[in-house]
Amino acid sequence: MIRRIATRLIQLPLLLFVIYSLTFLMIVAVPGNPFQRDGGRAISPVVEQALRERYGMQDNLAFYGRYLQRLFHGDLGRSLQYENWSCNEIIAASLPVSITVGLTAIAIATLGGVTLGILAAIYRHGACDAFALFVSILGVSVPTFVIGAGLLVLFSVTLPVLPVGTWDSPLDLVRPAVTLSLVPLAYILRLTRLGMIEALQSDYVRTARAKGLSESTVIFRHALPNAMPPVLAYLGPASAAAMTGSFVIERVFNIPGMGLHFVNSVLNRDQMLILACVLVYSAILITLNAVVDVAHAWIDPRIRVGGARA
Amino acid sequence: MTAMSSGTAAPRASATRRLLRSRRTTVASPILLGIIVVCFIGAWPAVKRSDVTSLSNARMPPGAQAWFGTDLLGRSLAARCILGGAISLAVGIAAAIFSVGLGVVWGSVAAMAGGRVDAIMMRIVDVLFGLPYILLVILLKIGLEGLLRLRLGLGHHATDLVILMLAIGGVSWLTMARVIRARMLTLLAAPFIEAARAIGVSPIGVWRRHLLPNLLDTIIVYAALTVPQAILQESFLSFLGIGVAPPLPSWGNLAADGVAAVNTIESFWWMLVFPCGLLSLTLLCMNALGEGLRDALDPRGDRRA
Amino acid sequence: MLSLHRIRAGIQLALLLVLAMVVACGLLWLGSAPPDAAELSIVEGVSIATLDPAEVSWLQDIRIVSQLYEGLYAPDPRGMESHPACSEPAERLELPAGGVRYRFRIRAGSVWSDGSPVTADDFLFAWRRALEPGTARDYSFFFHHIRGVAEYVDWRHREIERIRELPHSNGIVERHAHLRDADLHFAETVGLRAPDPRTLDVELVRPIPYFLHLVSLPVFLPLHRATVEPHRRISDAGLFYYDPQWTKPGRTAYNGPYILDHWRFKRGLRLRRNERFRAATPDAPQTVDVLDVNDTNTAWLMYETGRADWLLSIDTSFVSQLVRIADSPLPGAINTGGTIRRDIHSFETFGTYFFNVNCRPTLNDGSPNPFADPRVRRAVSLAIDREAICRDVTRRGEPPATTLVPPKMLPDYPTLSGLSFSPTAARAALDDAGWTAGKPPPEITILYSTDANHPLIAQAVASMLTRHLGLRTRLIGKEPRSYRADKQRHDFMLARGAWFGDYPDPCTFLEIFRTGDGNNDSAYDDPVYDDLLRRANECDDPAERGRRLADAEHRLITETVPAIPLFHFVNTYALDPHVIAGVQLNPRLLVQLRSIAVKP
């Protein structure tokens, strides 16, 4: 167990380094100049040269080295687009927002998905199963930008109960979190249902029933825990994806989160912010995956997950 | 050995029966088939009509003149939906084939090579998994644009679609590679493979004759579920304005335009309802069919998908 | 066998962790909320990028910065004139050597928000900072009209190059010496002097008829030297940089009517009235929130539900419908006659949408450029039905444009008319150029960016060229930055373009077609035109100068056609004039908060 954790800890910086290098290669290969602003006046080559020097970006090699050097001091660089802000400030301002929305969404998805999944498995082939199936397929069949826009109009104009475009009260959390939860909810529902169907047919559940335990005890204490490992495994990458934000949801609901930067930084060729976002996202994702793997191994010592040769 | 390979045929026959018995697949498949046929056959006449602008007929509601109404430039929405459907489906299917192909090759090579090569190949997959895919898609899309346009002598629109397909396919093969590798590892340990290897069948022969037939189920299920994901991804890129480039339509960019056309002041509802309805219906059917296939071919299901 | 206990423990632990994180983030979030609502909430569609006057280039930044600082001159709220602000009216003096000198006297009572007086030195500091190689940006070339600035900047660049080549230890010594020299050099050779703390003398190389308009641009704003200078850093080679933290709330003093109270990234900022501002502004709102909302539909819903009081631009697809049903009571608005709403105000702006035509003899791939022939460019301009584009594509009441300079906005500038839609004349021009029907004409490419309504406009133009001239067209839509890169490399035949006037003078439009200008995307190279511009600006009489400039523009839009104007931009505000009084519809889209009153 300790060896497994240690391997993961050593892997993290190595993986991040490789990811940094890969991203770097991509951002310098993409055409477009971060210093020539859209719709603005052209800047002269001399001015651009001085600017590049200021950001430590005289040439690609210098940029690559300088940024890495900064990283060791915990400095993610300065945004090229939002010139008065450092990437650290930007991420510190937006990551908590995204984490709040993302975790709430995951909580909704887990609660809803597991409940519906259990019901669907118990009443297999019944109305409940059909409803669950419908929800799970709907979640992955309608684009989020349509659902988001629909919810926005529905609950602020048609039925004026929620505020629009603000981020001041927990009420502002409801719609984005629900929208964001639809896709993970669909997956969790599906995984729970499959796991529960299998568990309910297994020998130990039959034994438990034969012992005369009540149905709820059988379901919650015996069947459910056996159906959970795949859900837990899915939760790792799903939370990472949810916590680092979604462009569509943040834009439609006007939430100042990380997802905006993923897209905008690339469109603006804000190379510093691209690197910062990728590194933060990757660190979160790799950590969460590692946590899930380790937890998984701890729960089920037989499993060797994700090809880790511990 | 032939007995071994054909041994997979019997479960597949029962799978077909299971698939046919499932109610949702019997509903979904004819609808899906209908949409696909109409889109691909209708695409040829639609190519011309979809780009005939007639500013005086702009924003006409659905009626006898235009079944689905007209868009902001007075183009027939029906023609655009059909051509857009063909494009969305083509991009989705092509991206899925690309991603499944790459995933299968990558996973198989890693599993069969084993040792250091396997470790390196799977670490590459790990690294790519750690990258935010949306960023990757946009970078690929923008990066390849300049590169491909210079290198390939393709027409403008063709280049665009190829890039989109490569960008979407290029980020979705990772799961496939992992799953195939895992399946391959269990298969490689099976006695009939060891036997085949013992009598000197070449690795490629082993893969083609013995492993591939056993992987086919997994591949089909994944391919079926990757197509709707790819289509959804295209629609998302269109929302960002970097998907299929106008004047070519796709369900994605039609739906994105449609969202803007329905609001509190004026509602050109047909611009949202038709493309978005078609898109969702198709995805719904594809997902239902994919689920059905999975249940039929692989009842235990892969839990990590 | 699975360990059930471990599973249960794991699930519980995970749930607890999630809960703890949600609570922590929630607390963090509630802790950062502003205390109360502001008196006025404005929605800005684009995020504020910078509040450093030297860096400011985008409209949204200009609008905020001009509330925080007050320059020597300032644009009036109607926007097409510049008035003395922080300075008394300037005295102009012709110099015997051919230059001209302006003397600005800073008004008594001009103080910074910390109580210290605004001095000429604050201007000198800010201006030098804005032109220094390390901090110079898009607008610093305006300083090159001042005597000695171009030479000083060149000298600095040469010296910096020299020091960069030196080994490190020598470099430090040299840098030190150079920086001392630089101060001296600047004081001696550059035509900026402060004979006393309240007087600023500016000496120009040659008379610039619109210099006082330039002085009212953000790049000429003063900075509070005592709080900004400590943030200065010097690079190894001797470039000046600034730690941008000085722009954050509470770090520096302001001399404008408002001070920066809050600035939260991507959420917006709050302005508070500057009690020490030199003029009394009793009716102006005490606090103003500028909200950062990127999605136009969301912004509209915020306005409709009362969360926002004023939308600075409505760009949603339904704006055309909105304009049609609304009747604006504000002077200058073009939407009158609607019956349903009175809170939507459309007005013409000082900006033009056009297509650049590549004028180079060959394209970037070496093939001959079909548009090198001005007759072909004319033909294209004649074949575009601008009325139809405005009526059916953009639909906001944009005036179709045949000129680059928006008409009837500038005094002393005659109203011109250029080429308007005429398919027969277009075909004739094409025949004239030898594009006879027998030989298939080359394929025409149209470059545009895939944001906003540019794809629609490009498609409409392409279909007109096909219909009226029989040309084969190919649309090249690219995402904005790639489009911009292609355009600056002159890698296009036709490309969409747009220009907003920086200052209220025809030159702001005409200069971008001067040979070698950094913004001359058409690569238009015409000594005759350059000469017409130069001769016009040598003229002292405003009316005569206007006529000469008009001759230059006439050549551009009817004979040589390096750009094809389509329409002049229109902007739309949403605000209730009964709640917010005193808003002027400013063609340059500037906003003056201190002249606005909010009724409860």
Side-chain angles (χ1 to χ4, degrees):
Chain A
M1 181 58 59
I2 288 174
R3 200 168 148 200
R4 196 183 270 268
I5 296 174
T7 325
R8 288 297 190 163
L9 278 179
I10 297 167
Q11 272 180 0
L12 178 69
L14 284 178
L15 280 177
L16 280 182
F17 174 73
V18 177
I19 286 173
Y20 167 69
S21 307
L22 261 181
T23 316
F24 191 88
L25 276 180
M26 282 192 287
I27 59 174
V28 295
V30 165
N33 183 339
F35 297 103
Q36 298 285 3
R37 298 138 149 185
D38 312 325
R41 282 182 168 270
I43 62 172
S44 71
V46 201
V47 169
E48 190 183 324
Q49 186 52 37
L51 268 173
R52 286 189 179 275
E53 197 173 327
R54 167 194 193 176
Y55 287 102
M57 296 168 58
Q58 297 90 323
D59 55 80
N60 291 336
L61 210 63
F63 182 18
Y64 183 79
R66 276 288 293 279
Y67 194 84
L68 209 58
Q69 210 180 332
R70 285 209 198 106
L71 272 184
F72 281 108
H73 298 102
D75 178 4
L76 294 167
R78 246 177 78 187
S79 168
L80 307 179
Q81 173 88 1
Y82 306 107
E83 293 174 79
N84 295 166
W85 299 83
S86 70
C87 295
N88 291 46
E89 285 176 294
I90 290 175
I91 287 176
S94 50
L95 191 59
V97 174
S98 289
I99 291 180
T100 313
V101 180
L103 286 186
T104 316
I106 288 293
I108 296 174
T110 316
L111 274 178
V114 170
T115 315
L116 278 175
I118 293 173
L119 288 174
I122 296 175
Y123 306 108
R124 206 179 166 191
H125 303 305
C128 218
D129 196 9
F131 176 72
L133 187 82
F134 178 71
V135 170
S136 78
I137 290 181
L138 195 71
V140 288
S141 296
V142 184
T144 22
F145 60 85
V146 177
I147 299 182
L151 284 179
L152 192 67
V153 174
L154 197 63
F155 290 103
S156 56
V157 178
T158 322
L159 203 70
V161 284
L162 293 173
V164 193
T166 52
W167 187 245
D168 302 323
S169 84
L171 275 184
D172 298 325
L173 190 57
V174 178
R175 276 172 302 187
V178 168
T179 317
L180 191 57
S181 74
L182 287 177
V183 175
L185 190 143
Y187 279 105
I188 291 173
L189 194 164
R190 195 179 295 174
L191 292 172
T192 312
R193 179 178 167 272
L194 272 175
M196 282 299 285
I197 289 175
E198 205 177 293
L200 287 172
Q201 289 164 349
S202 67
D203 294 338
Y204 54 85
V205 166
R206 249 178 256 140
T207 319
R209 280 192 175 130
K211 278 197 287 187
L213 295 175
S214 76
E215 191 59 25
S216 66
T217 315
V218 170
I219 288 169
F220 288 106
R221 299 203 66 91
H222 295 268
L224 187 59
N226 277 292
M228 279 297 102
V231 175
L232 285 183
Y234 169 74
L235 279 180
S239 337
M243 273 159 54
T244 40
S246 145
F247 174 81
V248 174
I249 285 161
E250 286 172 11
R251 185 171 162 155
V252 169
F253 296 107
N254 196 36
I255 299 169
M258 279 272 288
L260 284 171
H261 307 313
F262 275 103
V263 175
N264 286 341
S265 63
V266 183
L267 296 184
N268 293 328
R269 306 293 189 277
D270 191 340
Q271 299 170 333
M272 296 272 182
L273 193 54
I274 298 177
L275 286 173
C277 284
V278 169
L279 288 172
V280 169
Y281 173 88
S282 302
I284 292 177
L285 186 74
I286 294 171
T287 314
L288 277 176
N289 274 337
V291 167
V292 166
D293 273 10
V294 170
H296 213 157
W298 180 63
I299 287 168
D300 184 353
R302 292 171 310 174
I303 301 178
R304 292 189 159 189
V305 189
R309 289 153 188 276
Chain B
M1 269 177 320
T2 34
M4 286 290 183
S5 322
S6 63
T8 56
R12 200 162 290 148
S14 74
T16 317
R17 271 199 304 283
R18 268 205 300 275
L19 189 62
L20 287 176
R21 265 211 314 273
S22 157
R23 197 152 16 110
R24 56 175 191 252
T25 39
T26 47
V27 176
S29 354
I31 299 181
L32 188 61
L33 198 71
I35 293 176
I36 291 176
V37 167
V38 168
C39 282
F40 281 114
I41 292 178
W44 301 120
V47 167
K48 275 239 162 328
R49 291 206 49 204
S50 72
D51 199 26
V52 178
T53 55
S54 156
L55 294 175
S56 50
N57 289 332
R59 300 172 188 79
M60 261 199 330
Q65 263 186 302
W67 290 357
F68 286 6
T70 60
D71 73 354
L72 296 173
L73 288 182
R75 294 171 294 198
S76 153
L77 199 61
R80 289 184 74 72
C81 277
I82 288 172
L83 182 61
I87 289 172
S88 282
L89 287 167
V91 168
I93 292 169
I97 290 174
F98 175 64
S99 111
V100 166
L102 189 56
V104 168
V105 170
W106 195 275
S108 304
V109 169
M112 291 190 72
R116 193 156 289 239
V117 177
D118 180 26
I120 292 175
M121 289 180 80
M122 291 329 278
R123 280 303 85 77
I124 293 176
V125 171
D126 284 352
V127 166
L128 292 180
F129 246 120
L131 283 171
Y133 88 87
I134 177 63
L135 219 147
L136 215 60
V137 176
I138 302 175
L139 280 174
L140 276 176
K141 174 88 170 59
I142 298 169
L144 289 175
E145 201 169 57
L147 214 69
L148 280 190
R149 194 152 290 143
L150 289 179
R151 299 283 136 70
L152 300 177
L154 285 176
H156 181 76
H157 294 317
T159 324
D160 245 21
L161 294 182
V162 169
I163 292 164
L164 202 60
M165 186 276 281
L166 287 178
I168 295 173
V171 294
S172 52
W173 60 276
L174 302 169
T175 318
M176 191 72 217
R178 278 188 175 176
V179 170
I180 290 293
R181 176 178 166 277
R183 283 279 288 151
M184 286 278 290
L185 286 181
T186 37
L187 284 174
L188 283 173
F192 71 98
I193 301 293
E194 275 172 33
R197 281 182 157 178
I199 62 165
V201 181
S202 73
I204 293 180
V206 171
W207 185 79
R208 196 170 53 82
R209 301 247 296 276
H210 303 290
L211 293 171
L212 190 61
N214 284 295
L215 288 174
L216 220 51
D217 297 351
T218 318
I219 295 175
I220 290 172
V221 169
Y222 264 84
L225 290 172
T226 309
V227 177
Q229 271 174 12
I231 293 178
L232 205 57
Q233 222 133 77
E234 185 278 318
S235 80
F236 178 66
L237 289 179
S238 290
F239 177 75
L240 299 182
I242 50 179
V244 171
L248 278 195
S250 78
W251 282 341
N253 65 25
L254 292 173
D257 289 347
V259 167
V262 173
N263 49 66
T264 54
I265 295 303
E266 57 179 7
S267 271
F268 306 120
W269 55 267
W270 57 94
M271 290 189 209
L272 176 65
V273 167
F274 290 116
C276 192
L278 277 169
L279 172 66
S280 298
L281 186 65
T282 309
L283 293 182
L284 213 67
C285 293
M286 281 183 168
N287 279 315
L289 198 64
E291 293 286 304
L293 272 173
R294 186 212 291 271
D295 284 355
L297 292 173
D298 189 15
R300 269 180 54 89
D302 187 279
R303 269 101 148 268
R304 291 206 60 167
Chain C
M1 187 59 227
L2 293 164
S3 155
L4 292 190
H5 292 292
R6 283 181 171 188
I7 293 182
R8 283 191 208 113
I11 294 173
Q12 282 159 7
L13 201 70
L15 279 178
L16 268 179
L17 263 175
V18 169
L19 204 71
M21 280 180 86
V22 172
V23 168
C25 291
L27 285 179
L28 206 70
W29 163 36
L30 290 176
S32 67
D36 49 350
E39 282 182 30
L40 177 66
S41 295
I42 303 178
V43 167
E44 181 66 81
V46 198
S47 306
I48 305 292
T50 172
L51 292 181
D52 177 347
E55 288 174 349
V56 156
S57 157
W58 276 298
L59 180 64
Q60 71 273 18
D61 301 351
I62 294 176
R63 283 200 276 234
I64 304 300
V65 162
S66 53
Q67 314 305 322
L68 298 176
Y69 303 94
E70 188 185 43
L72 296 170
Y73 268 58
D76 74 341
R78 304 188 63 82
M80 303 313 278
E81 266 160 72
S82 300
H83 295 312
C86 189
S87 144
E88 313 272 352
E91 295 162 27
R92 186 173 183 275
L93 184 73
E94 301 275 349
L95 295 180
V100 65
R101 193 183 72 194
Y102 286 89
R103 166 161 289 184
F104 298 96
R105 297 274 302 158
I106 293 168
R107 264 180 221 274
S110 280
V111 287
W112 294 97
S113 53
D114 69 348
S116 57
V118 177
T119 62
D121 186 52
D122 292 323
F123 281 93
L124 275 182
F125 166 72
W127 291 12
R128 183 174 169 195
R129 185 175 170 275
L131 62 87
E132 274 286 343
T135 34
R137 300 310 290 274
D138 329 13
Y139 282 88
S140 52
F141 73 93
F142 282 138
F143 286 101
H144 290 218
H145 295 308
I146 297 171
R147 184 175 60 74
V149 167
E151 294 80 4
Y152 170 78
V153 172
D154 273 355
W155 173 77
R156 276 277 281 151
H157 276 295
R158 278 200 310 276
E159 284 292 292
I160 288 162
E161 269 319 306
R162 185 179 63 83
I163 295 168
R164 192 178 286 137
E165 302 302 319
L166 293 173
H168 189 65
S169 50
N170 290 358
I172 301 226
V173 178
E174 283 289 309
R175 183 185 83 182
H176 199 75
H178 162 67
L179 290 178
R180 217 177 35 236
D181 281 357
D183 288 345
L184 282 175
H185 203 110
F186 188 84
E188 280 168 13
T189 62
V190 173
L192 292 169
R193 297 275 183 288
D196 66 73
R198 280 187 50 210
T199 310
L200 182 67
D201 285 347
V202 183
E203 216 178 291
L204 303 186
V205 186
R206 59 184 172 277
I208 305 292
Y210 47 92
F211 183 67
L212 291 176
H213 292 315
L214 293 185
V215 168
S216 51
L217 291 175
V219 74
F220 286 86
L221 291 172
L223 285 176
H224 189 241
R225 182 170 192 164
T227 49
V228 177
E229 201 166 26
H231 290 85
R232 191 170 79 178
R233 311 276 178 271
I234 298 170
S235 83
D236 289 345
L239 288 167
F240 293 138
Y241 299 135
Y242 282 76
D243 174 2
Q245 289 307 326
W246 73 266
T247 56
K248 300 292 169 62
R251 301 291 173 89
T252 185
Y254 306 97
N255 74 331
Y258 282 86
I259 60 176
L260 184 64
D261 195 42
H262 263 86
W263 187 12
R264 294 184 302 164
F265 185 71
K266 280 270 179 192
R267 295 174 68 173
L269 43 81
R270 170 166 294 185
L271 302 174
R272 192 155 41 79
R273 217 157 74 182
N274 177 3
E275 298 306 335
R276 290 201 162 102
F277 182 64
R278 61 173 178 81
T281 52
D283 296 332
Q286 198 67 41
T287 48
V288 179
D289 272 344
V290 182
L291 305 170
D292 189 342
V293 183
N294 290 166
D295 190 274
T296 52
N297 284 313
T298 308
W300 172 251
L301 287 178
M302 288 172 75
Y303 175 76
E304 285 286 82
T305 54
R307 177 66 188 83
D309 306 313
W310 182 0
L311 301 187
L312 287 175
S313 76
I314 312 179
D315 276 319
T316 48
S317 57
F318 56 84
V319 58
S320 48
Q321 181 63 14
L322 206 52
V323 168
R324 197 159 309 127
I325 61 172
D327 172 37
S328 168
L330 295 184
I334 55 172
N335 59 320
T336 49
T339 48
I340 300 176
R341 310 179 64 125
R342 291 176 66 78
D343 60 338
I344 306 296
H345 319 280
S346 263
F347 52 99
E348 292 175 19
T349 69
F350 197 48
T352 305
Y353 192 105
F354 51 81
F355 270 80
N356 283 100
V357 195
N358 193 345
C359 297
R360 289 190 166 177
T362 54
L363 297 172
N364 280 18
D365 61 5
S367 59
N369 178 8
F371 290 107
D373 184 344
R375 288 170 297 190
V376 181
R377 305 199 289 257
R378 282 195 65 198
V380 169
S381 183
L382 286 164
I384 296 174
D385 185 355
R386 296 157 177 84
E387 305 271 348
I389 288 178
C390 294
R391 185 182 61 234
D392 300 318
V393 182
T394 61
R395 300 201 314 149
R396 292 171 124 192
E398 285 91 347
T402 60
T403 62
L404 289 161
V405 182
K408 300 194 178 77
M409 285 199 183
L410 299 168
D412 307 318
Y413 193 71
T415 304
L416 288 174
S417 65
L419 303 174
S420 49
F421 179 52
S422 163
T424 43
R427 289 209 74 96
L430 212 55
D431 287 342
D432 202 24
W435 288 30
T436 43
K439 196 176 62 179
E443 189 181 51
I444 304 302
T445 61
I446 301 179
L447 175 71
Y448 60 96
S449 58
T450 49
D451 53 330
N453 57 5
H454 307 308
L456 291 180
I457 296 169
Q459 288 169 50
V461 166
S463 73
M464 286 170 187
L465 295 188
T466 307
R467 189 172 316 149
H468 303 307
L469 295 178
L471 298 177
R472 280 180 304 135
T473 54
R474 201 173 79 195
L475 292 164
I476 301 183
K478 292 202 169 183
E479 65 73 49
R481 289 274 162 151
S482 304
Y483 145 83
R484 173 95 204 223
D486 277 11
K487 214 174 145 192
Q488 287 197 322
R489 278 202 316 271
H490 308 293
D491 191 4
F492 66 90
M493 289 191 199
L494 288 173
R496 78 138 189 106
W499 195 255
F500 268 90
D502 283 316
Y503 46 90
D505 188 272
C507 279
T508 187
F509 283 91
L510 301 181
E511 286 281 334
I512 60 172
F513 293 97
R514 209 164 35 79
T515 309
D517 189 274
N519 294 294
N520 188 344
D521 292 331
S522 299
Y524 178 60
D525 180 345
D526 180 6
V528 179
Y529 176 74
D530 297 347
D531 202 48
L532 283 171
L533 272 193
R534 191 181 48 76
R535 288 225 321 266
N537 280 329
E538 279 169 359
C539 181
D540 271 339
D541 173 38
E544 175 58 22
R545 175 173 174 264
R547 274 194 295 279
R548 289 188 190 177
L549 286 173
D551 286 345
E553 187 183 359
H554 192 259
R555 179 177 170 81
L556 273 195
I557 54 177
T558 60
E559 290 169 40
T560 54
V561 200
I564 301 166
L566 290 193
F567 56 85
H568 302 295
F569 285 102
V570 156
N571 186 55
T572 312
Y573 285 162
L575 69 97
D576 190 340
H578 300 296
V579 179
I580 305 169
V583 170
Q584 301 268 8
L585 304 179
N586 177 320
R588 289 164 67 199
L589 301 177
L590 303 175
V591 163
Q592 197 181 60
L593 290 177
R594 70 179 161 104
S595 57
I596 287 170
V598 180
K599 294 169 201 164

